[in-house]
Amino acid sequence: MKKKILVLCTGNSCRSQIAEGYLKYFTRNKAEIYSAGIETHGLNPGAVKTMAEDGVDISGQTSNAIDEYQEINFDYVITVCDHAKENCPYFPSKAQPFHHNFQDPAKASGTPEEISQEFRRVRDQIKNYCRQFIEENL
């Protein structure tokens, strides 16, 4: 059976979407990957753009709420922001929890190029985290 992995963030628009994209990329269909938020904020265009720059298309992913997945028995739940880790509603699961707080590039300010650089910086951190997670856990 394929392992089931949930990536959880506040709004499921940016960091968790990037992580979902890379986890799918690195597992090559050897796991079922989901992402969700405590709230749903829609897919962030900056996340879509910065992932496309790295050859990963996340444009078809959707912003989902955690309660949509209550019937799924996840093997791993990865929180990618402190807010989600601290404020996630009770989620009954046998899943092994993981946590890494990534800065939210959607909150970056400055010139368009400075904002793009922040998206790339966070994207690369998430990429490295996801690659290591897969190497160590699957």
Side-chain angles (χ1 to χ4, degrees):
M1 276 190 45
K2 291 182 181 181
K3 297 285 186 182
K4 294 178 178 70
I5 303 170
L6 174 65
V7 184
L8 186 60
C9 199
T10 301
N12 193 221
S13 67
C14 195
R15 293 166 286 183
S16 54
Q17 295 286 346
I18 291 170
E20 178 184 350
Y22 279 127
L23 289 169
K24 286 178 177 176
Y25 177 80
F26 290 129
T27 61
R28 306 248 189 257
N29 286 327
K30 293 179 183 154
E32 293 179 32
I33 313 298
Y34 303 80
S35 70
I38 297 169
E39 309 159 359
T40 57
H41 296 169
L43 195 54
N44 183 294
V48 174
K49 179 181 176 223
T50 195
M51 289 296 284
E53 290 174 358
D54 198 34
V56 179
D57 181 10
I58 64 168
S59 64
Q61 293 177 190
T62 58
S63 186
N64 301 85
I66 183 73
D67 58 359
E68 296 176 46
Y69 298 135
Q70 288 193 2
E71 302 302 317
I72 298 174
N73 290 318
F74 290 102
D75 297 287
Y76 305 104
V77 174
I78 305 169
T79 49
V80 291
C81 70
D82 287 342
H83 184 261
K85 181 180 184 212
E86 296 162 6
N87 295 287
C88 182
Y90 175 68
F91 190 69
S93 174
K94 64 176 176 63
Q96 185 176 355
F98 288 83
H99 175 70
H100 188 94
N101 185 54
F102 296 99
Q103 293 296 314
D104 187 355
K107 293 183 178 177
S109 61
T111 66
E113 181 54 33
E114 290 169 334
I115 293 168
S116 291
Q117 283 298 102
E118 180 63 5
F119 268 92
R120 291 181 193 113
R121 185 185 72 77
V122 174
R123 176 201 65 200
D124 292 346
Q125 289 177 347
I126 294 171
K127 179 180 184 177
N128 292 332
Y129 178 86
C130 290
R131 179 186 296 122
Q132 183 177 351
F133 177 87
I134 295 304
E135 288 172 359
E136 294 175 1
N137 295 286
L138 290 186

